[in-house]
Amino acid sequence: MAFKGAIEIDTAHCKGCGVCVTNCPTGSIRLSGMVNSKGYNYAEMTGDACIGCSACALVCPDSVITVYRVKI
Amino acid sequence: MDIADIKRPENLVYRKPALITDNVMHYCPGCSHGTVHKLIAEVIEEMGIQDSTIGISPVGCSVFAYNYIDIDWEEAAHGRAPALATATKRLCPDKHVFTYQGDGDLASIGTAEIIHACSRGENIVVIFINNGIYGMTGGQMAPTTLIGMKTSTTPYGRDPKLNGFPMVIADMIAHLDGTAYITRQSVHTAAAVRKAKSAIRKAFEYSEKNIGLSFVEIVATCNSGWKMSPVDANAWMVEHMFRKYPIGDIKDVLK
């Protein structure tokens, strides 16, 4: 059984700590080159390898990540 | 499948807990406090005890915890959260009462309060965030600072001859008969977060059973105080903090 996932990030409230990036098993999240209004390089989804495991959202201190997952 | 097709309400698997307010947390980027707040909010939400839970916030970085979790709160004087929790629980025995304290609050100025609350076996939950430093006041040495660890008041590292040894509070209170459940957890990886959440849930359930005090220590980071990036701080914690403060259950009277 395979899963495909997607994440939505509240970029305005992301503080760019990068804890989600090191916890992602598929390398589907990175820190953007752009900054938000507070000056943080916010996290963003990259590629299409996300499996919707929620690891990034679980470790996010500011609860800015929402995770979706479908069976394929 | 297109990303937009996946982002539908029926596919939602994780969202911000409803009890976490929309206030922007004042914590530094990567601070463990935010993650632990989220876990407490999730546990309270899952147990359906929002209306019967009273939190006691400490003095320290987490003093504003009452701004972030949508339940009833009291704010204690420095270190006195267990004393206030004792009064609250005795006056309102049907409420779920928990304290949320850091190591500067619980292990230093509040040592007497926590030890006597444990000794009396108050039916409260204590969440203890141990990052080995005073975060809010500028990174001074705390009782839990490791030997050799540099802080603003021990710039050459903690020297036991001058500054004494680190205090392992959870192991100390395990000897007291009033404690029911004592565990030490961390929140640096997704697996650790899941374990920490079940520990917090267990602590709330034990306090419902009136069998004594439940104590959940979270070994945490203070990347600003440690002068590291959040990711480096997590790695440093695993390498150094876990040696002195190993993760796992220390006491469980129902086992």
Side-chain angles (χ1 to χ4, degrees), chain B residues 218-234:
Chain B
I218 311 276
V219 183
T221 61
C222 176
N223 50 73
S224 298
W226 294 0
K227 317 265 183 258
M228 294 174 198
S229 73
V231 172
D232 290 347
N234 277 341

Side-chain angles (χ1 to χ4, degrees), chain B residues 17 30 55 57 126 145-146 154 156 174 176 183 195 212 216 218 246:
Chain B
S57 70
V126 176
T145 299
L146 301 176
T154 56
Y156 303 107
L176 299 172
T183 184
K195 283 183 195 156
V216 182
I218 311 276

